[in-house]
């Protein structure tokens, strides 16, 4: 029990600090930033599913821990689970069901663009707001997502693998989908390099951004940043295969931290 109480308090404390600093800014036009590296807006972390994700702020670092269990329905839950539903879009299912596990990543509070980008590998490359890990556009060594794999995705764009339930593609626009981003500006999660990833639209424009780099990144404000501009990714508004849209198929532009 004590294990979960402390990080929760840390989140509260983090929010309190943010609230205090925001209030101060109203009356103070001087900037207190020592360098021009933007900090990830702390209010973004309020969007994470608190039943699955624990976030601890420790100076220059943020640690994100998840049990990988989403706050939405899926045919990948055990049939006795409250969030189990019969398949809505999946034609076939991969073996296994959603289960409890532990994934942790520690990222810098102010991530920086690296001198060179890094290709993503198999396994988790980010953690979504629901607590489910984000995977890239491959389903094995040199095996890009293909039609046969797409058939196994639930409406959340996820399926089960040897390491558990994970997202590959943007969620489907179906009535059952009440949580996940679909062609909007919702926060999707945070990538292993510490940069946030949003849906296909940017809050700074109310539309699809047109100035994205090859990884879907750009510098602008978002709904979390109170006008401050910072680097973040978007789901790229391009069909990857048929009508499916990959969550993240490019390189990481920052320095990846391991999600274990
Ligand atoms: Zn997969
Ligand atoms: Zn944006």
């Amino acid at each position: 029990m004590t294990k979960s109480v402390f990080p929760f308090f840390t989140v509260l404390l983090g929010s309190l600090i943010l609230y205090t600093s925001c209030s101060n800014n109203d009356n103070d036009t001087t900037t207190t930033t020592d360098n021009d590296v933007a900090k990830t807006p702390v209010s973004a972390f309020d969007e994470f599913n608190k039943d699955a994700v624990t976030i601890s702020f420790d100076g220059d670092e943020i640690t994100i821990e998840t049990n990988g269990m989403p706050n939405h329905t899926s045919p990948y839950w055990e049939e006795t689970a409250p969030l189990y539903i019969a398949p809505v879009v999946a034609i076939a299912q991969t073996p296994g069901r959603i289960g409890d596990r532990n994934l942790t990543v520690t990222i810098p509070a102010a991530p920086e663009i690296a001198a060179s980008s890094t290709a993503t590998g198999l396994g988790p490359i980010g953690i979504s707001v629901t607590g489910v890990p984000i995977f890239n556009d491959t389903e094995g060594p040199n095996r890009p997502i293909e039609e046969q794999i797409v058939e196994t995705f639930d409406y959340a764009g996820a399926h089960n693998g040897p390491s558990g339930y994970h997202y590959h593609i943007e969620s489907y626009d179906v009535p059952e989908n009440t949580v996940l981003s679909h062609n909007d500006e919702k926060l999707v999660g945070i990538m292993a390099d510490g940069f946030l990833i949003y849906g296909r639209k940017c809050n700074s424009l109310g539309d699809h951004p047109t100035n994205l780099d090859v990884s879907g990144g750009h510098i602008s404000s978002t709904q979390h940043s109170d006008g401050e501009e910072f680097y973040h990714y978007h789901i790229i508004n391009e069909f990857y295969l048929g009508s499916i849209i990959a969550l993240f198929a490019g390189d990481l532009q920052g320095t990846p931290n391991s999600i274990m």
Side-chain angles (χ1 to χ4, degrees):
M1 285 299 282
T2 48
K3 191 171 175 271
S4 61
V5 169
F6 177 68
F8 178 63
F9 175 72
T10 317
V11 172
L12 279 181
L13 191 67
S15 307
L16 196 64
I17 290 164
L18 178 77
Y19 176 75
T20 311
S21 59
C22 283
S23 310
N24 287 345
N25 285 348
D26 292 339
N27 303 319
D28 183 4
T29 52
T30 58
T31 174
T32 51
T33 339
D34 293 323
N35 55 47
D36 48 14
V37 176
K39 279 198 165 186
T40 301
V42 179
S43 70
F45 295 101
D46 293 343
E47 308 261 4
F48 283 74
N49 168 18
K50 289 172 181 60
D51 292 332
V53 183
T54 305
I55 298 171
S56 328
F57 299 91
D58 182 14
D60 294 340
E61 291 186 334
I62 301 169
T63 296
I64 300 162
E65 205 177 337
T66 178
N67 66 13
M69 297 170 88
N71 50 349
H72 60 72
T73 55
S74 170
Y76 281 102
W77 284 102
E78 296 285 350
E79 288 186 28
T80 51
L83 290 172
Y84 171 81
I85 56 162
V88 180
V89 296
I91 293 164
Q93 278 186 235
T94 49
R97 298 287 175 170
I98 294 170
D100 199 332
R101 64 200 142 140
N102 191 289
L103 289 170
T104 304
V105 65
T106 297
I107 51 162
E112 293 182 59
I113 303 279
S116 57
S117 65
T118 306
T120 60
L122 300 173
I125 62 167
I127 293 175
S128 75
V129 290
T130 68
V132 172
I134 296 168
F135 277 38
N136 68 11
D137 61 332
T138 60
E139 185 57 19
N142 302 313
R143 191 182 175 195
I145 300 292
E146 60 205 32
E147 201 53 50
Q148 211 182 344
I149 304 292
V150 172
E151 289 176 355
T152 67
F153 293 143
D154 60 10
Y155 74 74
H159 64 182
N160 210 64
S163 68
Y165 184 74
H166 55 270
Y167 301 135
H168 284 281
I169 64 166
E170 190 194 48
S171 68
Y172 288 76
D173 184 20
V174 293
E176 288 81 2
N177 184 3
T178 56
V179 174
L180 297 153
S181 169
H182 179 87
N183 196 19
D184 56 25
E185 60 185 49
K186 278 187 197 167
L187 183 67
V188 171
I190 191 156
M191 302 306 295
D193 56 6
F195 292 120
L196 297 174
I197 178 168
Y198 289 86
R200 281 189 261 160
K201 293 183 178 173
C202 188
N203 173 265
S204 66
L205 302 161
D207 205 346
H208 305 127
T210 54
N211 62 346
L212 301 179
D213 62 26
V214 288
S215 303
H218 73 161
I219 295 171
S220 81
S221 61
T222 73
Q223 61 269 41
H224 301 111
S225 70
D226 200 22
E228 293 290 319
E229 299 199 320
F230 68 105
Y231 183 86
H232 56 271
Y233 298 113
H234 285 277
I235 297 174
I236 297 178
N237 185 38
E238 271 171 21
F239 293 133
Y240 179 80
L241 172 69
S243 61
I244 70 152
I245 290 183
L247 284 182
F248 193 91
D251 285 2
L252 292 166
Q253 295 296 325
T255 306
N257 302 280
S258 50
I259 303 176
M260 296 190 297

